[in-house]
């Protein structure tokens, strides 16, 4: 870092959150040497993306993935961070901030960005245990802890935050009831129609709702036990999340005498009533408005940063906001005005079959708001029109009411007109200018590359259509178009998956490096996206000569164990059909003791998982277990879950266990585009959950029903009925044909649930059910691929060379 | 710790033979009393040594990452790290310590102090 410059002004930021740190980042870009910067942050973390707390809660993102500026960022930029320390008092006269650790820091300019706090209802019992807001990492951790000890949760507030909290808790296995004061969910963003559709969708996902309920008391001893409502009814609960709104955190500002109302009052340059003090983000109030979303904060930060660096800027004039709910399976969008009202004209299309709804509101023939449900493809375009208050024309009207997509005479007109410093990705504060620059400087040609390079579209994804349009605009003729554009394997090449497979086939390529060389990869060494994919495609096309390339495998598939976050591994031995023996269990117990395994866990697929094994111990653990690998780490058959079936169950009509074991033994070890799960049930009671498996089987009196493409993971999808068969032979044949068809046509990493939606159930039925010839060919090819597969654990145990190369650590004295 | 060689004021330890290191992969080396190091062999006789954790606070064991030319991808977070400088590539940020590495015949020598530490004033 450069020498300390004596003439640098001192800038102090209170609040290490999204708005404040974005302003600092912008300042660093404009004039990195202007200020000596100190950041005071109450949370013991570097700056993270608060909106992703919803993902942290439901477990689809780790905290590390949410960090925006890690500790080394502060270090590299010479910004002093006091993390875990609160500002306690501001002294405007002598320009000092007093901190909770007893120290003080002086400033020339002070920036307050303290955000907001959850609004806690002022009712009796609000101070009991088991009540949290939803604002920071700590709240998230409390919710997760509650989910593992309590069963019932209530969420007060049916707005964006409340619904995301509720969905997260539901995902963590709680029984969740959302209590809402009004008759419509998200009543500040949605009209009654959209809100009703939203509620139906969420009820379908398993949430419960109590509408029109005003909570007046919380009872229980130390801990919350029940809620009492104004109408005298009650709701029992073990845990309560308050999401009834947020309040700008103005305490510091009010105490030191700055002018405040709901928020800290600022002018168009974010300046407070003291000219040396600024406020940005949710804590401020600009022209009467305090915002509760990130996009306006970036716009404020951009004006403020320029102002602080002496760069000429337009004043900030307020923002039009849009809302998108981050719950999978629910697409809602709203912007601007959304309620029917006198003086507004409304264009409305509602389709109860496809569950979509589109409403556009006009005032004096200008577009002032919209609500979308179910299909939000047009959101970016509509949002632009709302912001610009675009006049309604015949063309726009035709586009809106005609086909599902808006394809104007010049769809790019609005991105063309957009100023370079306008924010495109509200979640990550990426402007049009930054995207254009990345495209031209780095030669980018896909949205994915833009995402990797700038961060745009990597959070909620709402801005993706607009990023795509900017790409089209910037590339001009070189742009390939989103729908007819070939999807390339990854950023290292312009070739598609189809090209790659054709080349492997036609030119008989059998090594990953050979493929990258022949197809002239512009990143000659490839990346984590293309190399494992090519390796898989080679094995799929040339099973008989394929030699697995370990250096093109992810760690799990290279080492045949799952890496854990602490660098240890987990070991899941095969237990065919979920059936084990006392002898196996004894052996597992002995191994677990001997190698000090940290936990033995029964998995969702009816296997035992030994967690916390050291890498060096893996070969010994396998040797002593003497069981084959369960492939719990691999893109391959994971498990075949079975119910007890006719062997024991009084309802059983088919021997589900034997069928499960047979299928598992037949298809194990085969590499697939993605992991593959199966289930076999003895009767339609479906105890082994066929509907959420890639290949699920339900037995009945006359044979078997086959369900395909189910998924119980992040994106829940119920399986589709493929066909019914009468004999075991036919079932096995269809399983083989289905798996092989998926292996040949699936993209690497694509689960069957996405694959089916891409190529269509009918196409699959045609190929493997109706066309007996094709079915036979597929079965022949899978039989060939199945030959010569070996248990990888045994291979390692038997080959000292492999152990030495891959598992041993070198010890140096 | 036994020091094998001193060069430019950096002391080097012998950590093994070139053949001990698998091609295009990383391997963990524990130096007693020192940090855990990941040695990557990207070509027959081209090797790099980095601290065995990604730049990130809870970063993963770098040695298990996928090696692509002069870069390695973090096995847990997929960020891309330069084997030459330890610099984490955009859009992620951070830096991993790099250790000097020499070949003496077929013997691999790793220097004690990170080469990219304290180099900025
Ligand atoms: C779960 C969740 C989901 C969300 N989803 C979305 C979404 O999808 N889209 C969207 O646009 N917005 C969303 N938001 C809102 C968005 O996160 C906020 O608008 C944004 O974070 C506000 O930024 P800020 O910097 O003003 O406040 P914050 O990010 O809250 O930062 C304020 C920081 O100041 C610190 N602080 C407060 N007082 C002191 C003190 N005295 N001393 C030191 N530090 C102090 C706080 O601890 C905090 O770290 C969501 C919010 C939550 C909680
Ligand atoms: S699915 Fe049917 S046969 Fe199998 S255990 Fe359940 S009830 Fe019994
Ligand atoms: S606006 Fe959410 S990811 Fe870009």
């Amino acid at each position: 870092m450069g020498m300390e410059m004596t003439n640098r002004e001192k800038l102090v930021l209170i609040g290490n959150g999204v708005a404040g740190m974005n302003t600092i980042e912008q300042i660093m870009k404009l004039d990195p040497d202007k200020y000596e910067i100190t950041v005071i942050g109450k949370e013991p973390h570097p700056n993270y993306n608060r909106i992703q707390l919803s993902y942290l809660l439901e477990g689809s993102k780790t905290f590390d993935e949410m960090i925006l500026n890690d500790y080394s960022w502060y270090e590299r930029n010479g910004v002093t961070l006091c993390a875990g320390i609160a500002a306690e008092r501001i002294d405007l006269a002598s320009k000092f901030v007093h901190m909770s650790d007893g120290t003080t820091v002086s400033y020339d300019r002070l920036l307050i960005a303290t955000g907001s706090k959850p609004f806690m209802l002022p009712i009796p019992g609000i101070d009991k245990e088991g009540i949290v807001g939803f604002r920071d990492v700590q709240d998230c951790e409390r919710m997760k802890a509650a989910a593992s000890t309590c069963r019932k949760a209530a969420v007060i507030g049916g707005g964006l935050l409340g619904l995301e909290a509720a969905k997260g808790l539901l995902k963590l296995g709680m029984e969740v009831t959302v209590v809402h004061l009004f008759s419509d969910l998200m009543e500040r963003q949605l009209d009654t129609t959209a809100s009703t559709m939203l509620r139906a969708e969420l009820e379908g996902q398993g949430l419960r709702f109590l509408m029109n309920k005003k909570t007046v008391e919380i009872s229980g001893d130390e801990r919350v036990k029940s809620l009492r409502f104004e109408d005298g009814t009650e709701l029992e609960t073990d845990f309560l999340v308050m999401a009834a709104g947020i309040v700008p955190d103005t305490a510091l500002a009010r105490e030191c005498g700055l002018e405040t109302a709901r928020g800290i009052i600022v002018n168009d340059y974010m300046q407070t009533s003291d000219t040396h003090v600024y406020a940005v983000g949710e804590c401020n109030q600009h022209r009467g408005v305090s915002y509760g979303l990130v996009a306006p904060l970036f716009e404020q930060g951009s004006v403020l940063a320029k102002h602080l660096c002496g760069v000429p800027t337009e004043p900030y004039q307020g923002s039009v906001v849009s809302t998108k709910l981050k719950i999978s399976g629910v697409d809602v969008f709203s912007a601007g005005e959304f309620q029917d009202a006198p003086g507004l004209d409304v264009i409305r299309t509602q389709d109860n079959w496809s569950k979509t709804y589109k409403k556009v509101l006009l005032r004096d023939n200008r577009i002032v708001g919209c609500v979308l449900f179910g299909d939000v493809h047009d959101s970016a375009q509509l949002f632009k029109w709302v912001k610009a208050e675009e006049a309604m024309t015949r063309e726009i009207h035709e586009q809106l009411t005609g086909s599902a997509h808006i394809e104007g005479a010049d769809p790019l007109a609005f991105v063309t007109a957009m100023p370079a410093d306008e924010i495109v990705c509200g979640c990550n504060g990426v402007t049009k200018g930054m995207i254009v620059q990345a495209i031209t400087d780095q030669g980018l040609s896909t949205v994915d590359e833009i995402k990797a390079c700038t961060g745009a579209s990597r959070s909620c994804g709402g801005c993706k259509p607009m990023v795509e349009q900017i790409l089209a605009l910037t590339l001009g003729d070189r742009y390939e178009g989103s729908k007819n554009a070939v999807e390339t394997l990854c950023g290292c090449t312009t070739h598609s998956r189809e090209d790659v497979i054709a080349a492997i086939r036609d030119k008989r390529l059998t090594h990953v490096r050979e493929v990258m060389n022949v197809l002239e990869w512009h990143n000659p060494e490839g990346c984590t996206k293309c190399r494992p994919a090519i390796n898989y495609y080679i094995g799929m096309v040339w099973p008989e000569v394929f030699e697995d390339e370990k250096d093109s495998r992810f760690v799990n598939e290279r080492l045949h164990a799952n890496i854990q976050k602490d660098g240890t591994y987990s070991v899941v031995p095969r237990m065919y059909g979920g059936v084990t023996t006392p002898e196996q269990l004894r052996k597992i117990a002995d191994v677990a003791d001997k190698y000090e395994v940290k936990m033995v866990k029964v998995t969702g697929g009816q296997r035992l998982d030994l967690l916390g094994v050291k890498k060096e111990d893996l070969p010994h653990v396998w040797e002593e277990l003497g069981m084959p690998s369960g492939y719990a780490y691999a893109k391959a058959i994971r498990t075949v879950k079975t119910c007890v079936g006719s062997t024991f169950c009084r309802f059983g009509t088919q021997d589900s266990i034997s069928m499960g074991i047979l299928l598992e033994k037949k298809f194990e070890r085969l590499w697939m585009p993605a992991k593959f799960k199966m289930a076999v049930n003895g009767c339609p009671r479906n105890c082994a959950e066929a509907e959420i498996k890639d290949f699920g089987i339900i037995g009945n009196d006359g044979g078997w029903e086959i369900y395909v493409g189910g998924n119980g993971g992040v994106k829940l999808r119920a399986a589709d009925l493929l066909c019914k068969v009468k004999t075991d032979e036919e079932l096995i044949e269809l399983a083989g044909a289905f798996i092989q068809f998926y292996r040949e046509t699936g993209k690497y990493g694509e689960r069957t649930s996405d694959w089916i939606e891409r190529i269509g159930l009918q196409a699959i039925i045609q190929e493997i059910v109706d066309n007996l010839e094709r079915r036979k060919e597929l079965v022949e090819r899978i039989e060939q691929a199945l030959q010569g597969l070996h248990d990888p654990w045994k291979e390692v145990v038997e080959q000292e060379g492999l152990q030495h190369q891959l598992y041993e650590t070198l010890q140096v004295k | 710790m036994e020091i094998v060689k001193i060069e430019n004021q950096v002391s080097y330890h012998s950590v093994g033979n070139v053949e001990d290191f698998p091609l295009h992969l990383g391997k963990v080396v524990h130096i007693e009393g020192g940090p855990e190091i990941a040695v990557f062999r990207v070509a027959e006789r081209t090797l790099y040594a980095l601290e065995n954790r990604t730049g990130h606070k809870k970063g993963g064991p770098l040695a298990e990452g996928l090696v692509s030319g002069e870069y390695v991808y973090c096995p847990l977070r997929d960020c891309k790290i330069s084997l030459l400088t330890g610099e984490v590539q955009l859009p992620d940020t951070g830096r991993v310590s790099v250790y000097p590495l020499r070949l003496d015949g077929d013997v691999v020598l790793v220097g004690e102090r990170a080469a990219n530490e304290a180099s900025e004033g």
Side-chain angles (χ1 to χ4, degrees):
Chain A
M1 248 18 76
M3 300 280 289
E4 191 144 314
M5 275 184 259
T6 42
N7 59 351
R8 286 208 289 178
E9 282 186 83
K10 283 189 236 151
L11 175 67
V12 172
L13 165 65
I14 303 179
N16 187 25
V18 181
M21 282 309 294
N22 171 260
T23 309
I24 301 291
E25 271 193 73
Q26 306 237 24
I27 293 174
M28 300 304 294
K29 277 182 198 146
L30 292 170
D31 192 350
D33 294 325
K34 182 156 173 89
Y35 292 104
E36 184 190 325
I37 300 172
T38 304
V39 177
I40 311 171
K42 199 159 64 175
E43 293 184 74
H45 305 290
N47 177 31
Y48 61 89
N49 194 346
R50 190 169 310 282
I51 80 172
Q52 297 188 347
L53 284 173
S54 307
Y55 299 134
L56 181 69
L57 178 65
E58 64 168 24
S60 62
K61 275 218 158 60
T62 63
F63 179 65
D64 287 352
E65 288 170 297
M66 295 166 48
I67 291 180
L68 292 170
N69 305 88
D70 61 13
Y71 286 112
S72 73
W73 183 94
Y74 294 84
E75 237 171 77
R76 265 182 294 128
N77 289 283
V79 172
T80 309
L81 171 63
C82 312
I85 294 172
E88 286 196 327
R89 195 161 59 79
I90 301 168
D91 187 336
L92 293 178
S94 52
K95 297 198 203 147
F96 271 112
V97 178
H98 298 261
M99 302 197 276
S100 59
D101 63 350
T103 58
T104 53
V105 51
S106 75
Y107 65 83
D108 296 306
R109 311 266 186 140
L110 178 65
L111 185 47
I112 305 179
T114 44
S116 7
K117 289 180 165 167
F119 173 61
M120 299 309 241
L121 289 181
I123 52 174
I126 192 73
D127 49 357
K128 293 202 186 306
E129 279 171 31
I131 304 177
V132 302
F134 188 16
R135 185 72 196 173
D136 55 26
V137 177
Q138 216 188 348
D139 294 333
C140 252
E141 276 161 7
R142 288 205 202 112
M143 288 193 222
K144 286 191 156 177
S148 61
T149 52
C150 314
R151 197 164 58 91
K152 287 187 194 160
V155 175
I156 297 187
L160 179 125
L161 265 190
L163 295 178
E164 290 185 5
K167 187 64 203 303
L169 292 172
L170 182 76
K171 243 185 148 178
L172 293 173
M174 297 189 87
E175 229 174 71
V176 188
T177 308
V178 176
V179 178
H180 197 46
L181 184 58
F182 304 101
S183 52
D184 289 341
L185 294 175
M186 291 180 68
E187 80 289 343
R188 282 167 53 199
Q189 291 94 14
L190 300 182
D191 64 355
T192 302
T193 312
S195 167
T196 310
M197 294 172 96
L198 171 64
R199 182 171 156 195
E201 175 63 39
L202 291 173
E203 276 171 344
Q205 296 193 5
L207 285 179
R208 298 176 192 180
F209 293 95
L210 285 179
M211 310 301 282
N212 296 311
K213 292 280 182 193
K214 180 169 183 185
T215 315
V216 291
E217 191 181 343
I218 300 169
S219 40
D221 302 327
E222 309 245 286
R223 225 190 129 77
V224 49
K225 257 184 90 180
S226 71
L227 309 182
R228 200 163 56 75
F229 306 117
E230 202 177 37
D231 61 10
T233 56
E234 296 200 0
L235 172 73
E236 277 190 24
T237 188
D238 311 319
F239 186 66
L240 174 63
V241 179
M242 286 293 306
I246 53 173
V247 200
D249 191 343
T250 56
L252 280 175
R254 192 162 343 103
E255 281 158 22
C256 73
L258 292 173
E259 201 181 321
T260 61
R262 178 174 157 77
I264 305 167
I265 306 241
V266 293
N267 66 14
D268 288 355
Y269 297 93
M270 305 300 119
Q271 205 158 29
T272 65
S273 54
D274 180 313
T275 50
H276 297 100
V277 183
Y278 300 80
V280 67
E282 281 190 356
C283 65
N284 77 14
Q285 178 170 337
H286 170 263
R287 298 193 187 178
V289 185
S290 291
Y291 293 95
L293 291 165
V294 290
L297 318 184
F298 290 120
E299 294 174 20
Q300 296 180 352
S302 158
V303 171
L304 173 56
K306 285 187 192 147
H307 174 82
L308 285 172
C309 292
V311 176
T313 169
E314 297 273 306
Y316 172 70
Q317 314 206 23
S319 304
V320 179
V321 295
S322 67
T323 311
K324 187 173 177 298
L325 192 61
K326 302 189 293 300
I327 296 185
S328 62
V330 187
D331 282 321
V332 282
F333 179 83
S334 107
E337 300 190 41
F338 58 91
Q339 291 288 17
D340 297 20
L344 289 182
D345 290 320
V346 179
I347 303 169
R348 195 190 318 260
T349 47
Q350 185 175 358
D351 178 340
N352 288 336
W353 182 78
S354 68
K355 301 210 178 82
T356 55
Y357 175 60
K358 173 156 59 182
K359 166 166 144 182
V360 177
L361 297 104
L362 308 175
R363 172 177 292 118
D364 302 332
N365 200 42
R366 296 198 165 267
I367 302 175
V368 292
C370 69
V371 180
L372 300 175
F373 186 90
D375 179 357
V376 294
H377 275 100
D378 299 337
S379 57
Q381 171 83 76
L382 269 166
F383 187 38
K384 288 300 303 180
W385 282 335
V386 170
K387 274 189 165 179
E389 301 208 350
E390 190 80 23
M392 182 53 103
T393 61
R394 174 168 292 279
E395 283 84 45
I396 293 184
H397 185 268
E398 268 170 16
Q399 291 155 17
L400 282 174
T401 50
S403 70
H405 293 273
I406 298 171
E407 275 152 29
D410 183 4
L412 299 181
F414 78 91
V415 273
T416 316
M418 198 172 181
D421 61 354
E422 184 161 326
I423 289 178
V424 173
C425 175
C427 294
N428 300 293
V430 185
T431 61
K432 174 183 162 190
M434 288 153 79
I435 296 175
V436 171
Q437 194 180 359
I439 296 170
T440 46
D441 289 4
Q442 325 247 349
L444 308 184
S445 59
T446 65
V447 174
D448 276 346
E449 287 169 355
I450 296 173
K451 170 156 86 180
C453 184
T454 65
S457 83
R458 80 164 157 191
S459 304
C460 76
C463 57
K464 203 167 160 191
M466 218 188 303
V467 174
E468 180 97 49
Q469 277 153 342
I470 294 175
L471 181 66
L473 178 74
T474 314
L475 291 183
D477 289 346
R478 285 174 298 138
Y479 175 66
E480 314 245 328
S482 64
K483 271 165 230 117
N484 25 24
V486 280
E487 188 183 342
T488 66
L489 209 55
C490 69
C492 302
T493 178
T494 51
H495 290 287
S496 65
R497 168 188 172 281
E498 287 68 30
D499 291 349
V500 171
I501 294 179
I504 293 173
R505 195 162 271 144
D506 301 344
K507 306 200 165 91
R508 285 202 72 91
L509 307 178
T510 53
H511 292 283
V512 175
R513 284 196 164 66
E514 209 180 0
V515 174
M516 298 192 294
N517 191 18
V518 169
L519 292 178
E520 297 180 330
W521 244 234
H522 44 251
N523 172 16
E525 296 280 346
C527 70
T528 46
K529 294 221 167 45
C530 55
R531 278 192 16 218
I534 301 172
N535 188 49
Y536 166 75
Y537 295 139
I538 295 175
M540 185 268 289
V541 175
W542 302 119
E544 63 286 3
V545 295
F546 174 62
E547 267 179 59
D548 193 24
E549 287 177 48
K550 298 209 179 311
D551 61 329
S552 290
R553 287 271 182 206
F554 289 117
V555 51
N556 289 356
E557 294 190 342
R558 178 175 348 115
L559 297 181
H560 294 283
N562 293 53
I563 194 165
Q564 308 294 316
K565 66 176 193 185
D566 64 353
T568 64
Y569 293 80
S570 83
V571 169
V572 183
R574 245 310 153 228
M575 284 178 181
Y576 297 96
V579 178
T580 181
T581 60
E583 191 194 348
Q584 264 184 358
L585 291 174
R586 230 169 263 131
K587 220 181 265 168
I588 290 172
D590 287 343
V591 169
D593 276 342
K594 177 164 170 191
Y595 292 96
E596 297 176 349
V597 162
K598 289 184 188 149
M599 179 185 272
V600 182
K601 164 98 182 62
V602 180
T603 70
Q606 304 179 332
R607 306 297 187 269
L608 288 175
D609 189 354
L610 309 180
L611 290 144
V613 179
K614 291 197 233 24
K615 177 165 133 175
E616 307 83 273
D617 289 340
L618 287 171
H620 310 298
V621 167
W622 298 335
E623 180 164 17
E624 287 172 42
L625 284 173
M627 294 166 74
S629 164
Y631 274 78
Y633 46 80
K635 297 194 191 317
I637 300 254
R638 291 289 174 85
T639 56
V640 183
K641 188 170 181 175
T642 65
C643 75
V644 291
S646 62
T647 335
F648 288 96
C649 176
R650 62 201 168 98
F651 299 113
T653 56
Q654 291 279 4
D655 184 355
S656 45
I657 295 185
S658 299
M659 179 50 75
I661 294 177
L662 195 152
L663 288 169
E664 188 164 358
K665 288 205 161 149
K666 181 159 179 71
F667 296 113
E668 67 175 328
R669 298 175 193 147
L670 194 59
W671 295 111
M672 307 253 205
K675 62 180 166 189
F676 193 91
K677 299 179 174 180
M678 305 214 259
V680 188
N681 294 281
C683 87
R685 283 174 187 75
N686 195 12
C687 295
E689 300 155 340
E691 262 95 4
I692 50 166
K693 297 289 182 270
D694 296 278
F695 197 85
I697 303 162
I698 296 182
N700 56 39
D701 249 339
W704 305 94
E705 286 170 13
I706 305 177
Y707 291 85
V708 293
N711 194 325
V714 180
K715 249 168 74 190
L716 192 68
R717 182 180 193 277
D720 298 309
L721 178 66
L722 181 74
C723 63
K724 299 179 184 186
V725 297
K726 294 214 164 54
T727 64
D728 291 1
E729 289 67 40
E730 219 182 332
L731 174 62
I732 294 160
E733 202 179 275
L734 276 165
F738 178 83
I739 293 174
Q740 184 64 11
F741 190 44
Y742 167 54
R743 293 183 73 228
E744 291 179 5
T745 54
K747 294 184 211 161
Y748 187 71
E750 182 179 45
R751 291 290 302 271
T752 59
S753 48
D754 292 322
W755 171 69
I756 279 199
E757 303 218 325
R758 179 167 64 86
I759 69 171
L761 178 66
Q762 279 317 313
I764 299 171
I765 292 180
Q766 239 166 42
E767 194 79 357
I768 68 173
V769 184
D770 300 345
N771 188 335
L772 295 179
E773 195 55 33
R774 281 286 291 156
R775 189 197 300 181
K776 204 172 119 227
E777 288 165 17
L778 285 164
V779 170
E780 272 165 21
R781 286 203 291 275
I782 201 170
E783 290 297 342
Q784 190 177 25
L786 285 167
Q787 276 168 26
L789 295 175
H790 305 286
D791 176 42
W793 289 359
K794 200 160 158 221
E795 213 165 79
V796 173
V797 168
E798 284 170 357
Q799 293 183 34
E800 265 182 42
L802 268 183
Q803 290 180 29
H804 174 67
Q805 288 260 299
L806 295 178
Y807 297 88
E808 279 167 22
T809 297
L810 291 173
Q811 300 287 346
V812 180
K813 285 222 184 316
Chain B
M1 262 194 289
E2 188 194 353
I3 290 157
V4 172
K5 192 174 177 187
I6 298 184
E7 201 177 87
N8 292 336
Q9 295 179 323
V10 179
S11 21
Y12 283 85
H13 303 272
S14 153
V15 298
N17 209 282
V18 173
E19 292 304 316
D20 292 329
F21 297 90
L23 203 53
H24 304 306
L25 288 172
K27 192 167 191 71
V28 183
V29 177
H30 273 295
I31 301 187
E32 201 179 273
E36 194 168 286
I37 288 175
V39 173
F40 297 91
R41 185 169 170 214
V42 303
E44 274 309 316
R45 292 184 60 83
T46 314
L47 294 92
Y48 297 104
L50 277 74
E51 188 185 357
N52 189 26
R53 51 199 301 287
T54 56
H56 216 262
K57 195 161 41 92
K58 286 190 212 145
L62 208 53
E64 314 303 344
L66 190 132
V67 178
S68 163
E70 317 267 65
Y71 298 93
V72 59
Y73 289 85
C74 161
L76 298 185
R77 288 167 30 90
D78 207 37
C79 51
K80 187 176 178 185
I81 298 159
S82 162
L83 293 173
L84 289 168
T85 64
E87 205 71 46
V88 178
Q89 309 293 300
L90 289 171
D92 302 292
T93 55
R95 184 200 279 151
V96 181
S97 303
V98 176
Y99 292 84
L101 184 146
R102 303 258 174 287
L103 284 183
D104 188 1
D106 281 344
V107 178
V108 180
L109 300 173
V110 172
E112 206 172 74
R113 210 180 64 191
N116 59 348
E117 250 170 36
S119 55
E120 283 175 75

